[in-house]
PDB file of all heavy atoms in Angstrom:
ATOM      1  N   VAL A 274      20.041   6.921  -0.108  1.00 98.00           N
ATOM      2  CA  VAL A 274      19.224   5.713  -0.191  1.00 98.00           C
ATOM      3  C   VAL A 274      18.506   5.529   1.166  1.00 98.00           C
ATOM      4  O   VAL A 274      19.077   5.689   2.229  1.00 98.00           O
ATOM      5  CB  VAL A 274      20.040   4.483  -0.479  1.00 98.00           C
ATOM      6  CG1 VAL A 274      19.207   3.189  -0.391  1.00 98.00           C
ATOM      7  CG2 VAL A 274      20.690   4.622  -1.879  1.00 98.00           C
ATOM      8  N   LEU A 275      17.212   5.142   1.059  1.00 98.00           N
ATOM      9  CA  LEU A 275      16.435   4.709   2.230  1.00 98.00           C
ATOM     10  C   LEU A 275      16.048   3.249   1.953  1.00 98.00           C
ATOM     11  O   LEU A 275      15.765   2.872   0.838  1.00 98.00           O
ATOM     12  CB  LEU A 275      15.177   5.543   2.436  1.00 98.00           C
ATOM     13  CG  LEU A 275      15.404   7.035   2.655  1.00 98.00           C
ATOM     14  CD1 LEU A 275      15.139   7.821   1.417  1.00 98.00           C
ATOM     15  CD2 LEU A 275      14.510   7.537   3.794  1.00 98.00           C
ATOM     16  N   ARG A 276      15.960   2.460   3.043  1.00 98.00           N
ATOM     17  CA  ARG A 276      15.582   1.079   2.907  1.00 98.00           C
ATOM     18  C   ARG A 276      14.353   0.834   3.750  1.00 98.00           C
ATOM     19  O   ARG A 276      14.027   1.535   4.665  1.00 98.00           O
ATOM     20  CB  ARG A 276      16.733   0.189   3.352  1.00 98.00           C
ATOM     21  CG  ARG A 276      17.904   0.139   2.415  1.00 98.00           C
ATOM     22  CD  ARG A 276      17.498  -0.301   1.012  1.00 98.00           C
ATOM     23  NE  ARG A 276      18.622  -0.609   0.129  1.00 98.00           N
ATOM     24  CZ  ARG A 276      19.028  -1.842  -0.151  1.00 98.00           C
ATOM     25  NH1 ARG A 276      18.385  -2.897   0.297  1.00 98.00           N
ATOM     26  NH2 ARG A 276      20.041  -2.034  -0.981  1.00 98.00           N
ATOM     27  N   GLY A 277      13.666  -0.306   3.435  1.00 98.00           N
ATOM     28  CA  GLY A 277      12.541  -0.731   4.209  1.00 98.00           C
ATOM     29  C   GLY A 277      11.179  -0.462   3.534  1.00 98.00           C
ATOM     30  O   GLY A 277      10.998  -0.692   2.379  1.00 98.00           O
ATOM     31  N   ALA A 278      10.289   0.180   4.304  1.00 98.00           N
ATOM     32  CA  ALA A 278       8.968   0.547   3.865  1.00 98.00           C
ATOM     33  C   ALA A 278       8.396   1.381   4.993  1.00 98.00           C
ATOM     34  O   ALA A 278       9.074   1.669   5.975  1.00 98.00           O
ATOM     35  CB  ALA A 278       8.081  -0.685   3.581  1.00 98.00           C
ATOM     36  N   SER A 279       7.126   1.775   4.862  1.00 98.00           N
ATOM     37  CA  SER A 279       6.535   2.600   5.921  1.00 98.00           C
ATOM     38  C   SER A 279       5.062   2.229   6.135  1.00 98.00           C
ATOM     39  O   SER A 279       4.528   1.414   5.354  1.00 98.00           O
ATOM     40  CB  SER A 279       6.608   4.089   5.565  1.00 98.00           C
ATOM     41  OG  SER A 279       5.572   4.501   4.701  1.00 98.00           O
ATOM     42  N   ASP A 280       4.463   2.828   7.131  1.00 96.00           N
ATOM     43  CA  ASP A 280       3.024   2.576   7.397  1.00 96.00           C
ATOM     44  C   ASP A 280       2.173   3.051   6.191  1.00 96.00           C
ATOM     45  O   ASP A 280       1.006   2.596   6.082  1.00 96.00           O
ATOM     46  CB  ASP A 280       2.596   3.350   8.637  1.00 96.00           C
ATOM     47  CG  ASP A 280       3.189   2.771   9.894  1.00 96.00           C
ATOM     48  OD1 ASP A 280       3.504   1.566   9.916  1.00 96.00           O
ATOM     49  OD2 ASP A 280       3.319   3.507  10.910  1.00 96.00           O
ATOM     50  N   ALA A 281       2.717   3.918   5.373  1.00 97.00           N
ATOM     51  CA  ALA A 281       1.935   4.403   4.245  1.00 97.00           C
ATOM     52  C   ALA A 281       2.190   3.637   2.965  1.00 97.00           C
ATOM     53  O   ALA A 281       1.544   3.873   1.927  1.00 97.00           O
ATOM     54  CB  ALA A 281       2.271   5.881   4.022  1.00 97.00           C
ATOM     55  N   THR A 282       3.091   2.666   2.985  1.00 97.00           N
ATOM     56  CA  THR A 282       3.450   1.868   1.806  1.00 97.00           C
ATOM     57  C   THR A 282       2.337   0.903   1.451  1.00 97.00           C
ATOM     58  O   THR A 282       1.743   0.310   2.353  1.00 97.00           O
ATOM     59  CB  THR A 282       4.735   1.109   2.021  1.00 97.00           C
ATOM     60  OG1 THR A 282       5.784   2.024   2.373  1.00 97.00           O
ATOM     61  CG2 THR A 282       5.166   0.370   0.739  1.00 97.00           C
ATOM     62  N   SER A 283       2.036   0.765   0.187  1.00 95.00           N
ATOM     63  CA  SER A 283       0.999  -0.151  -0.243  1.00 95.00           C
ATOM     64  C   SER A 283       1.361  -1.574   0.139  1.00 95.00           C
ATOM     65  O   SER A 283       2.513  -1.988   0.068  1.00 95.00           O
ATOM     66  CB  SER A 283       0.800  -0.093  -1.778  1.00 95.00           C
ATOM     67  OG  SER A 283       0.318   1.166  -2.149  1.00 95.00           O
ATOM     68  N   PRO A 284       0.373  -2.400   0.592  1.00 93.00           N
ATOM     69  CA  PRO A 284       0.646  -3.770   0.960  1.00 93.00           C
ATOM     70  C   PRO A 284       1.278  -4.555  -0.190  1.00 93.00           C
ATOM     71  O   PRO A 284       0.908  -4.391  -1.356  1.00 93.00           O
ATOM     72  CB  PRO A 284      -0.752  -4.350   1.285  1.00 93.00           C
ATOM     73  CG  PRO A 284      -1.564  -3.157   1.655  1.00 93.00           C
ATOM     74  CD  PRO A 284      -1.067  -2.024   0.811  1.00 93.00           C
ATOM     75  N   GLY A 285       2.290  -5.338   0.071  1.00 92.00           N
ATOM     76  CA  GLY A 285       2.951  -6.104  -0.924  1.00 92.00           C
ATOM     77  C   GLY A 285       3.953  -5.384  -1.777  1.00 92.00           C
ATOM     78  O   GLY A 285       4.509  -5.948  -2.720  1.00 92.00           O
ATOM     79  N   HIS A 286       4.183  -4.086  -1.488  1.00 95.00           N
ATOM     80  CA  HIS A 286       5.073  -3.290  -2.280  1.00 95.00           C
ATOM     81  C   HIS A 286       6.494  -3.284  -1.748  1.00 95.00           C
ATOM     82  O   HIS A 286       7.374  -2.662  -2.347  1.00 95.00           O
ATOM     83  CB  HIS A 286       4.535  -1.845  -2.366  1.00 95.00           C
ATOM     84  CG  HIS A 286       5.247  -0.982  -3.355  1.00 95.00           C
ATOM     85  ND1 HIS A 286       5.166  -1.168  -4.725  1.00 95.00           N
ATOM     86  CD2 HIS A 286       6.057   0.091  -3.162  1.00 95.00           C
ATOM     87  CE1 HIS A 286       5.905  -0.250  -5.335  1.00 95.00           C
ATOM     88  NE2 HIS A 286       6.440   0.537  -4.412  1.00 95.00           N
ATOM     89  N   SER A 287       6.738  -3.892  -0.616  1.00 96.00           N
ATOM     90  CA  SER A 287       8.059  -3.771   0.000  1.00 96.00           C
ATOM     91  C   SER A 287       8.857  -5.095  -0.137  1.00 96.00           C
ATOM     92  O   SER A 287       8.282  -6.153  -0.284  1.00 96.00           O
ATOM     93  CB  SER A 287       7.919  -3.404   1.487  1.00 96.00           C
ATOM     94  OG  SER A 287       7.156  -4.382   2.130  1.00 96.00           O
ATOM     95  N   ARG A 288      10.172  -4.987  -0.103  1.00 97.00           N
ATOM     96  CA  ARG A 288      11.067  -6.131  -0.092  1.00 97.00           C
ATOM     97  C   ARG A 288      12.412  -5.597   0.398  1.00 97.00           C
ATOM     98  O   ARG A 288      12.706  -4.409   0.317  1.00 97.00           O
ATOM     99  CB  ARG A 288      11.208  -6.757  -1.478  1.00 97.00           C
ATOM    100  CG  ARG A 288      11.574  -5.784  -2.575  1.00 97.00           C
ATOM    101  CD  ARG A 288      11.318  -6.337  -3.956  1.00 97.00           C
ATOM    102  NE  ARG A 288      11.363  -5.208  -4.900  1.00 97.00           N
ATOM    103  CZ  ARG A 288      10.309  -4.493  -5.219  1.00 97.00           C
ATOM    104  NH1 ARG A 288       9.111  -4.793  -4.673  1.00 97.00           N
ATOM    105  NH2 ARG A 288      10.402  -3.477  -6.068  1.00 97.00           N
TER     106      ARG A 288
END
Side-chain angles (χ1 to χ4, degrees):
V274 174
L275 301 102
R276 289 303 192 103
S279 82
D280 290 335
T282 305
S283 296
H286 188 68
S287 59
R288 54 195 166 272

